[in-house]
Amino acid sequence: MTVAYLDKKVALICLLALASVFIIGILIGHYGISSSASKAATEDRFDDKQFVSDVLDKVDGQSLRQFLKTLTEEPHIAASKRDSFLTKWIKEKWMEFGFDSVSLSPYQFLLSYPIPDQPNKIYLYDSSGSVQFTSKHKEDVLRPEDEHEHFIHAFNAFAPAGDVTGELVYVNYGRIEDINMLEELGVDLKGKMVISRYGKIFRGNRLKNCEDAGAIGVIMFSDPSDVASNGTDPANVYPNTFFLPPSGVQRGSTFLGDGDPLSPSWTSVKGAYRQELNETEGLPKIPSQPIGYGDAEKLLAVMGGADVPEDWKGAIPGISYKLGPGFNEDHLGWKVRLVVNNIMEDKEDNNVIGVIKGEVEPDRFVLLSNHRDAWGYGAVDPSSGTCSLMETARILGGLVKAGWRPRRTIVLASWAAEESGLMGSNEWVYDKIHKLMNRAVAVINVDICVAGDILEPSASPLLKNVFMEAIKNVPSTKDKNKTYYQFLKEYHKNDEKPVDNIEDKIKILGAGSDHAPFAYYAGVPALYYSFEVDKQKYPGLKAGYPMYHTGYETFYLMDHLLDPGFKLHKTCSQLSLHMILQLVQSSIHPFNPTHIIKELEKAIDTMEEKNVTKTIKDNGAGQAFDLMTESLNGFKLSVNKWTQMRKEMENTGALDDLLSQRILNDQIMQLERIFLLPQGLPGRHNYRHALFSPAKFDSYSGAAFPGIGDLLNGVDKLNKEEKTARFKELRKHLSDLMIVFRQAASWLSHDSEI
């Protein structure tokens, strides 16, 4: 009995010992795993430079080439049959690549088209009423492979249908300063037809400027001085070079607005209210038509009037540029007739949205995007960017298939109907505004990857460091043994105005592409970049690329002339990958608010140099301006304190837990939202960013303190009463800026007080 009792006791002790070991093992395992998981969650994954390098090495030039070939096989204007095909193709490809989800987001759009069997025309009549010249409505076929039966006729989208006849006046680029110069020279545009060369400003601004001056119609052309600086002989233009031939015509929108014109401040989902056409602002009221410089020559050759100012002269061979109005002595009584047959149609079109879910912060996302539609084949705009987007998608999807997960969620977007007025992106931003303002970290938008071979970046100042880090880790296309940063430093030393600090070459964002609604309406900081024409090699090309929106923007242009071997496309894609990995993998957002201060102080200095501050003070707004700059100084102090605090927290390990990381990240992520004015900039409800937004009179250009520039524009021409009202509005805007800086300083503060 005693023996049996001892055996049971021993057994019980052994059982308890085993249970204890088991429980201890579970506890050790639980806390060990939790500790390991916590460490994995808080560590800076972007510190794994070998992983980043390996990802960049996956970019393949042949893959990029094949993507571009598919994208440019046919013309694909917004909501066309081919555009719908590409929508489906992109969606299927992203699913095939391994994305967690890919969806379509449909919206309603008012779009503009020419009538296929009633092309727009310009006629030149002699004094007896006989037609002496008729314009072309499409490009000459220079390569049989470039011809397509459904290629869109030349037109300015949203220019209204009309039939007008009158005398011709040359208006240079149609800028406000050009219109003012004509006034000084005694040339009146009222009741006149005008002819303008493309360039310098958005075509919609050009049309509006001429309309406001009383013109009845506008003819736009690309001058050889801007698109064929090496000469117009066949050997010097496409298909032998990337310069524009005489019949090349730039298509494009003239709508001065963003998003669906019939739902100007709300999303155009199916069933949403659409206003009447006559209630819509931003649509031109006079007809307009683009032509090639070959056709422009026929019109300019017979013009009369005084010689144009020296810097207004173009480079059409044999042409003596005249102001007009009307025609020379040999062509007295001649007239120009403009016939535009454009129509507008309601269409449904889709954005494609692809998602790779984040592992640690799935509710925070970084976007990479481009639009899909083109005015023709779109080999440069937008398909050089879209093929890069596809290659990035292929690589990221492959990583997911191999078991990788980003820290934050990645969203890729293919936007609809950008060319008509940034429509797909704007409607999506209106639709998702609350999510974006609370969860979006940043957006990288790559519209045109390759138009030349020199990188030209622009960014929200907060993101300059992201771009700088990328170019320091991506190899140069010229020399693999150098980074692109090293190449740029050497390159810009030879600029007309040499620059040593590459950060100074990163411009303030303009509009003109799909980052605009994110940056200027939702307050999501953005990056935008492209490879542009080498201005040192081709000094005559001051902006853009010669084939822009023409029928010659073909796969052949890219494959044989702009980027044989797709080396530039590879670098473009590597930059996107590096920046998206930095933004999704870094434990602390790589944002630097000191760049905001630098840009604002630079703008203040420029105002001083150009006597803008004197104008403000001489007209009763000096106190408001001083209060604004005082508030800016308070914001600067807060930025410096916050930047120092972040360094100290990183050095002392105070950011080694998820909660501390989230608090700091949300603080800097939300900073740009503080700069949004609920009512928008003066006269512009859809541009809410008070500090950095496009200039009102040139939506392509970015500006610091845009509201000040807008309100002072043309102020010297106002009567006393109008001037008083304008400066009253300026005082109100300066007050808004003062409040914004005060709120931003408070936002960055770590004081316990609210």
Side-chain angles (χ1 to χ4, degrees):
M1 294 291 292
T2 303
V3 174
Y5 173 78
L6 289 173
D7 287 344
K8 286 180 180 180
K9 189 174 181 180
V10 171
L12 181 60
I13 291 170
C14 291
L15 183 63
L16 289 171
L18 286 169
S20 298
V21 170
F22 181 68
I23 292 168
I24 291 168
I26 291 175
L27 290 172
I28 290 171
H30 170 74
Y31 287 107
I33 291 170
S34 295
S35 176
S36 175
S38 177
K39 183 179 179 182
T42 58
E43 68 182 6
D44 194 320
R45 299 183 180 190
F46 192 67
D47 280 345
D48 188 349
K49 302 305 181 187
Q50 187 58 53
F51 170 76
V52 175
S53 178
D54 290 344
V55 171
L56 300 189
D57 286 343
K58 294 178 184 293
V59 178
D60 180 64
Q62 283 304 307
S63 176
L64 284 156
R65 183 180 185 275
Q66 189 55 52
F67 283 135
L68 186 68
K69 194 169 186 180
T70 299
L71 290 162
T72 59
E73 279 181 6
E74 296 182 27
H76 46 285
I77 194 170
S80 64
K81 184 177 179 181
R82 180 65 182 181
D83 183 40
S84 297
F85 167 84
L86 291 175
T87 302
K88 182 180 178 182
W89 175 75
I90 290 171
K91 181 185 178 185
E92 290 175 350
K93 280 292 181 183
W94 289 358
M95 288 302 296
E96 176 189 317
F97 293 155
F99 278 52
D100 294 317
S101 67
V102 185
S103 60
L104 301 181
S105 56
Y107 299 98
Q108 310 300 307
F109 304 120
L110 180 71
L111 299 176
S112 175
Y113 302 96
I115 301 176
D117 58 355
Q118 296 180 48
N120 302 336
K121 290 290 182 181
I122 296 160
Y123 303 99
L124 185 59
Y125 290 92
D126 63 21
S127 56
S128 65
S130 298
V131 176
Q132 296 298 320
F133 162 74
T134 303
S135 65
K136 298 172 180 176
H137 59 271
K138 62 179 183 178
E139 285 83 354
D140 294 339
V141 179
L142 301 180
R143 295 179 65 254
E145 300 88 341
D146 295 347
E147 175 73 349
H148 194 285
E149 60 178 331
H150 298 305
F151 202 93
I152 200 77
H153 291 167
F155 82 122
N156 283 144
F158 295 105
D163 187 337
V164 292
T165 301
E167 292 184 310
L168 203 57
V169 174
Y170 177 73
V171 296
N172 197 24
Y173 292 106
R175 299 167 296 183
I176 288 176
E177 55 264 42
D178 295 329
I179 306 297
N180 291 340
M181 175 63 76
L182 285 168
E183 187 178 328
E184 291 175 16
L185 295 171
V187 179
D188 190 355
L189 297 189
K190 290 177 183 174
K192 301 296 191 297
M193 192 87 69
V194 305
I195 184 166
S196 170
R197 48 179 174 168
Y198 270 123
K200 306 296 184 184
I201 60 172
F202 174 55
R203 71 187 71 79
N205 293 111
R206 176 180 299 107
L207 182 52
K208 176 64 173 170
N209 293 342
C210 295
E211 177 187 309
D212 289 346
I216 60 173
V218 177
I219 300 165
M220 303 186 197
F221 73 98
S222 301
D223 194 276
S225 60
D226 298 308
V227 296
S229 56
N230 282 8
T232 61
D233 292 338
N236 294 324
V237 296
Y238 183 86
N240 299 304
T241 74
F242 65 80
F243 288 111
L244 189 67
S247 67
V249 186
Q250 182 193 132
R251 296 147 180 82
S253 176
T254 57
F255 172 46
L256 283 176
D258 296 324
D260 169 48
L262 302 185
S263 56
S265 60
W266 61 92
T267 187
S268 62
V269 293
K270 193 170 185 178
Y273 176 76
R274 311 283 296 294
Q275 66 185 21
E276 298 296 324
L277 191 61
N278 60 8
E279 298 175 293
T280 298
E281 297 179 356
L283 293 173
K285 295 180 174 61
I286 61 173
S288 173
Q289 176 65 12
I291 57 175
Y293 63 81
D295 279 356
E297 177 186 356
K298 307 296 184 184
L299 301 174
L300 296 171
V302 296
M303 282 187 66
D307 289 339
V308 302
E310 189 63 30
D311 60 349
W312 284 31
K313 292 179 180 178
I316 298 177
I319 293 298
S320 177
Y321 287 70
K322 302 288 185 178
L323 291 174
F327 300 91
N328 59 36
E329 291 183 359
D330 295 331
H331 302 87
L332 294 176
W334 285 39
K335 299 286 185 183
V336 173
R337 179 187 177 198
L338 169 62
V339 180
V340 173
N341 298 308
N342 297 342
I343 58 171
M344 286 188 276
E345 295 183 9
D346 267 320
K347 295 275 191 176
E348 182 174 276
D349 205 355
N350 293 281
N351 299 325
V352 186
I353 308 296
V355 176
I356 296 174
K357 292 179 183 177
E359 183 176 34
V360 180
E361 298 180 82
D363 62 330
R364 295 292 182 264
F365 47 89
V366 176
L367 296 101
L368 177 66
S369 74
N370 186 25
H371 70 97
R372 184 179 60 251
D373 61 308
W375 293 116
Y377 297 111
V380 177
D381 180 8
S383 298
S384 66
T386 302
C387 76
S388 173
L389 183 70
M390 296 300 290
E391 179 67 355
T392 302
R394 181 186 71 82
I395 292 166
L396 292 174
L399 293 174
V400 172
K401 284 183 176 179
W404 173 81
R405 280 280 155 193
R407 177 189 177 97
R408 302 181 183 95
T409 293
I410 296 172
V411 177
L412 264 61
S414 171
W415 306 119
E418 184 269 359
E419 294 291 6
S420 294
L422 316 185
M423 294 195 180
S425 56
N426 266 272
E427 298 313 316
W428 195 77
V429 168
Y430 286 145
D431 196 11
K432 311 294 183 183
I433 186 64
H434 303 100
K435 280 188 176 181
L436 289 169
M437 290 186 68
N438 286 284
R439 300 181 184 178
V441 176
V443 59
I444 304 165
N445 186 55
V446 186
D447 189 332
I448 297 170
C449 248
V450 179
D453 53 5
I454 301 299
L455 190 61
E456 291 192 7
S458 56
S460 300
L462 197 63
L463 294 179
K464 277 192 174 186
N465 281 16
V466 176
F467 181 80
M468 292 298 296
E469 183 73 13
I471 62 172
K472 288 178 179 178
N473 287 278
V474 168
S476 166
T477 52
K478 305 285 187 181
D479 183 349
K480 289 183 179 180
N481 295 317
K482 293 180 180 179
T483 65
Y484 203 86
Y485 171 78
Q486 291 170 321
F487 163 73
L488 278 184
K489 275 190 76 76
E490 293 177 7
Y491 175 83
H492 287 303
K493 286 178 181 177
N494 298 316
D495 283 351
E496 190 174 331
K497 295 180 179 179
V499 172
D500 185 58
N501 187 358
I502 298 301
E503 282 182 0
D504 293 338
K505 299 299 292 185
I506 305 174
K507 301 175 184 175
I508 297 174
L509 282 169
S513 195
D514 291 299
H515 54 267
F518 292 92
Y520 307 130
Y521 189 82
V524 178
L527 287 151
Y528 177 79
Y529 65 93
S530 60
F531 286 83
E532 299 291 343
V533 176
D534 187 340
K535 304 301 191 301
Q536 293 179 11
K537 188 175 181 180
Y538 303 102
L541 295 177
K542 299 299 183 185
Y545 61 97
M547 300 301 185
Y548 180 59
H549 289 183
T550 72
Y552 299 123
E553 202 178 305
T554 61
F555 180 76
Y556 175 88
L557 171 72
M558 188 63 71
D559 195 36
H560 288 77
L561 300 173
L562 291 180
D563 192 20
F566 283 70
K567 294 178 181 178
L568 291 162
H569 280 82
K570 182 174 181 178
T571 301
C572 182
S573 303
Q574 288 175 326
L575 287 169
S576 288
L577 278 165
H578 192 281
M579 288 190 283
I580 204 165
L581 288 174
Q582 188 178 0
L583 288 164
V584 299
Q585 295 291 76
S586 298
S587 58
I588 302 301
H589 294 321
F591 295 172
N592 188 345
T594 61
H595 289 303
I596 296 174
I597 301 299
K598 289 178 184 177
E599 291 295 342
L600 295 174
E601 289 183 333
K602 195 188 303 180
I604 295 287
D605 290 343
T606 301
M607 282 191 247
E608 291 282 356
E609 291 169 10
K610 295 186 176 181
N611 292 320
V612 173
T613 52
K614 184 178 185 302
T615 300
I616 291 171
K617 292 177 180 180
D618 288 349
N619 287 275
Q623 184 180 9
F625 185 83
D626 290 342
L627 287 171
M628 184 272 288
T629 53
E630 182 182 329
S631 187
L632 169 58
N633 289 332
F635 174 50
K636 178 180 180 179
L637 183 63
S638 185
V639 164
N640 291 338
K641 284 182 178 179
W642 185 91
T643 304
Q644 184 61 35
M645 178 203 69
R646 179 176 64 182
K647 288 180 181 177
E648 291 173 0
M649 292 178 75
E650 288 173 333
N651 292 336
T652 59
L655 292 175
D656 289 348
D657 65 277
L658 283 174
L659 180 59
S660 297
Q661 291 179 353
R662 173 58 73 98
I663 290 171
L664 192 73
N665 279 336
D666 280 1
Q667 191 178 34
I668 194 64
M669 184 185 80
Q670 293 283 347
L671 178 62
E672 292 270 346
R673 280 62 148 179
I674 309 296
F675 306 143
L676 301 181
L677 300 176
Q679 74 278 15
L681 290 169
R684 293 196 286 167
H685 66 84
N686 57 331
Y687 286 89
R688 305 197 297 174
H689 203 295
L691 305 188
F692 307 107
S693 285
K696 183 176 183 179
F697 301 97
D698 179 12
S699 62
Y700 282 160
S701 299
F705 295 116
I708 296 176
D710 290 350
L711 290 169
L712 290 177
N713 185 74
V715 73
D716 54 326
K717 291 193 171 186
L718 301 178
N719 62 39
K720 186 177 180 180
E721 186 178 338
E722 291 170 333
K723 201 170 187 178
T724 299
R726 181 70 65 83
F727 276 97
K728 181 179 180 181
E729 190 176 3
L730 179 61
R731 290 198 304 274
K732 169 65 168 64
H733 183 64
L734 290 169
S735 173
D736 288 340
L737 290 171
M738 181 270 290
I739 293 169
V740 161
F741 288 132
R742 184 175 184 274
Q743 292 173 334
S746 174
W747 177 257
L748 289 183
S749 171
H750 260 236
D751 295 339
S752 57
E753 294 182 9
I754 294 178

